[in-house]
């Protein structure tokens, strides 16, 4: 089985690479933006023609949330045009597409009653900024182009790779005696390794339902799913736990979002309901606290 992974130099792409040895039955083709530029249709096709992948995991994206407000054209090019391009090529080569999206497609105004479960895949979307809007448009471009797709929305991703909140907190704590972190945005941290394992579980599960010609699977499970670790917290809670696990001493102060203005608005609440993905693929998902502890103390 051949799996092409785009955006291989990003944190999720690198996380997949770090566990790829656990899947000897998969021939991974890792492509960074220099090798496979999703914004250029003619750049994608030769890779697919050469390797004939059964699956493509598209982790390539424009993820600079605040910068997107001043670079909407670039965000649109990567997150919308790029998503459509990769879907078109997947369709041409009959390749199943796994595409990563975000909790930022929601506006955070879920009713208190519904917050007991979190956002489901069927809840109304209403992005607050350019990043979320372009990711939502990318989802729609895929849905209208190629039926054999899995769109996986995730949240608050962290890892040892790239730039993320966890690494920023540890760096700032080494430079300062005190830190202020917002405490009125609620979501769920997601270990990129757990997301990587989830994606490969989806592929393994889908492979067990082959079509008559044994070339590609047929399944009723294609569609949109939510994945993050279990539980929820605010950014202040997340930072506090990061420091606790690492034995870092710093004066950590909670502040409201109004005290930390940013170019892009964030949803105040973006917890994702994982019921659908857990039941469909028989997944057991760690709590965010457990996964964070295991990340630092070793699996």
């Amino acid at each position: 089985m051949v799996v092409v992974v785009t955006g291989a130099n990003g944190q999720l792409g690198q996380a997949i690479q770090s566990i790829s040895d656990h899947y000897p039955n998969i021939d991974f083709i890792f492509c960074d933006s220099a090798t496979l530029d999703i914004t250029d249709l003619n750049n994608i096709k030769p890779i697919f023609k050469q390797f004939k992948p059964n699956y493509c995991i598209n982790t390539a994206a424009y993820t600079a949330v605040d910068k997107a407000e001043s670079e909407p054209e670039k965000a649109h090019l990567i997150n919308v045009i790029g998503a459509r391009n990769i879907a078109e090529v997947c369709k041409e080569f009959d390749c199943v597409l796994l595409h990563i999206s975000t909790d930022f497609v929601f506006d955070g105004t879920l009713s208190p009653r519904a917050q007991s479960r979190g956002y489901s895949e069927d809840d109304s979307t209403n992005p607050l900024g350019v990043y979320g809007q372009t990711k939502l448009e990318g989802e729609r471009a895929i849905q209208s182009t190629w039926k054999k797709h899995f769109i996986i929305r995730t949240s608050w991703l962290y890892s040892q790779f790239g730039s993320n909140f966890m690494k920023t907190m540890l760096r700032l704590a080494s430079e300062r005696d005190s830190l202020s972190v917002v405490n009125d945005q609620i979501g769920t941290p997601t270990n990129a390794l757990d997301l990587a394992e989830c994606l490969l579980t989806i592929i393994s599960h889908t492979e067990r339902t082959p079509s008559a010609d044994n070339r590609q699977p047929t399944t009723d499970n294609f569609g949109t799913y939510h994945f993050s670790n279990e539980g929820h917290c605010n950014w202040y809670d997340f930072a506090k736990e990061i420091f606790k696990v690492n034995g870092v001493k710093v004066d950590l102060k909670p502040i409201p979002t109004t005290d930390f203005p940013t170019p892009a608005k964030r949803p105040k609440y973006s917890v994702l309901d994982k019921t659908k993905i857990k039941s469909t693929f028989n997944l057991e998902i760690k709590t965010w606290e457990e996964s964070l502890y295991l990340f630092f103390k070793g699996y």
Side-chain angles (χ1 to χ4, degrees), residues 39-278:
T39 68
D40 182 354
L41 195 61
N42 293 324
N43 182 258
I44 305 171
K45 289 184 180 182
I47 300 294
F48 277 63
K49 185 175 182 180
Q50 178 182 355
F51 295 105
K52 299 179 175 58
N54 306 91
Y55 293 83
C56 173
I57 303 176
N58 182 36
T59 76
Y62 184 106
T63 59
V65 176
D66 289 319
K67 200 172 182 181
E69 296 300 308
S70 58
E71 293 185 340
E73 296 86 1
K74 185 174 181 181
H76 184 271
L77 176 63
I78 298 171
N79 291 345
V80 184
I81 303 302
R84 180 182 293 115
N85 286 344
I86 203 76
E88 287 182 3
V89 176
C90 282
K91 181 178 181 179
E92 180 178 342
F93 288 86
D94 194 19
C95 173
V96 176
L97 173 61
L98 288 80
H99 175 78
I100 309 304
S101 193
T102 175
D103 58 328
F104 275 48
V105 300
F106 299 111
D107 62 11
T109 61
L110 197 64
S111 70
R113 184 175 182 178
Q115 286 183 13
S116 62
R117 60 165 169 78
Y119 274 104
S120 76
E121 292 81 356
D122 297 326
D123 281 320
S124 298
T125 53
N126 185 33
L128 298 177
V130 171
Y131 167 66
Q133 183 62 43
T134 57
K135 290 298 289 182
L136 179 60
E137 290 175 12
E139 289 184 13
R140 292 170 175 168
I142 290 169
Q143 291 162 347
S144 64
T145 301
W146 179 223
K147 65 180 180 180
K148 291 184 180 180
H149 69 261
F150 297 99
I151 293 170
I152 314 298
R153 294 174 181 153
T154 191
S155 65
W156 297 21
L157 203 64
Y158 70 89
S159 69
Q160 66 267 49
F161 309 109
S163 299
N164 55 70
F165 178 83
M166 179 269 293
K167 291 177 70 175
T168 298
M169 288 297 101
L170 290 174
R171 176 179 58 80
L172 291 177
S174 70
E175 300 170 351
R176 305 178 187 178
D177 295 326
S178 65
L179 293 172
S180 297
V181 179
V182 297
N183 70 342
D184 56 356
Q185 296 175 23
I186 299 172
T188 307
T190 304
N191 187 332
L193 292 174
D194 291 342
L195 176 56
E197 293 281 9
C198 169
L199 296 171
L200 296 175
T201 296
I202 290 173
I203 289 175
S204 298
H205 184 280
T206 306
E207 275 297 296
R208 292 196 291 269
T209 56
S211 61
D213 63 6
N214 292 319
R215 158 72 178 131
Q216 285 287 7
T218 56
T219 176
D220 294 328
N221 295 330
F222 294 126
T224 301
Y225 293 85
H226 289 171
F227 181 89
S228 69
N229 285 114
E230 293 281 23
H232 63 270
C233 63
N234 58 53
W235 290 109
Y236 169 82
D237 295 330
F238 187 21
K240 186 177 180 180
E241 194 70 15
I242 290 168
F243 298 144
K244 176 184 175 182
V245 173
N246 286 276
V248 174
K249 303 297 183 182
V250 64
D251 181 18
L252 186 64
K253 301 174 182 177
I255 59 171
T257 299
T258 52
D259 285 0
F260 190 72
T262 56
K265 291 183 179 180
R266 269 80 170 165
K268 288 293 187 73
Y269 178 92
S270 61
V271 177
L272 301 174
D273 176 23
K274 276 79 67 175
T275 301
K276 180 181 176 183
I277 201 167
K278 287 191 292 186

Side-chain angles (χ1 to χ4, degrees), residues 1-51:
M1 184 198 330
V2 179
V3 177
V4 164
V5 181
T6 69
N9 52 336
Q11 67 169 324
L12 180 55
Q14 291 183 75
I16 295 171
Q17 289 185 65
S18 73
I19 64 170
S20 59
D21 288 346
H22 301 169
Y23 296 85
N25 61 318
I26 297 178
D27 184 10
F28 287 97
I29 310 298
F30 291 101
C31 302
D32 60 19
S33 58
T35 306
L36 193 159
D37 178 3
I38 66 171
T39 68
D40 182 354
L41 195 61
N42 293 324
N43 182 258
I44 305 171
K45 289 184 180 182
I47 300 294
F48 277 63
K49 185 175 182 180
Q50 178 182 355
F51 295 105

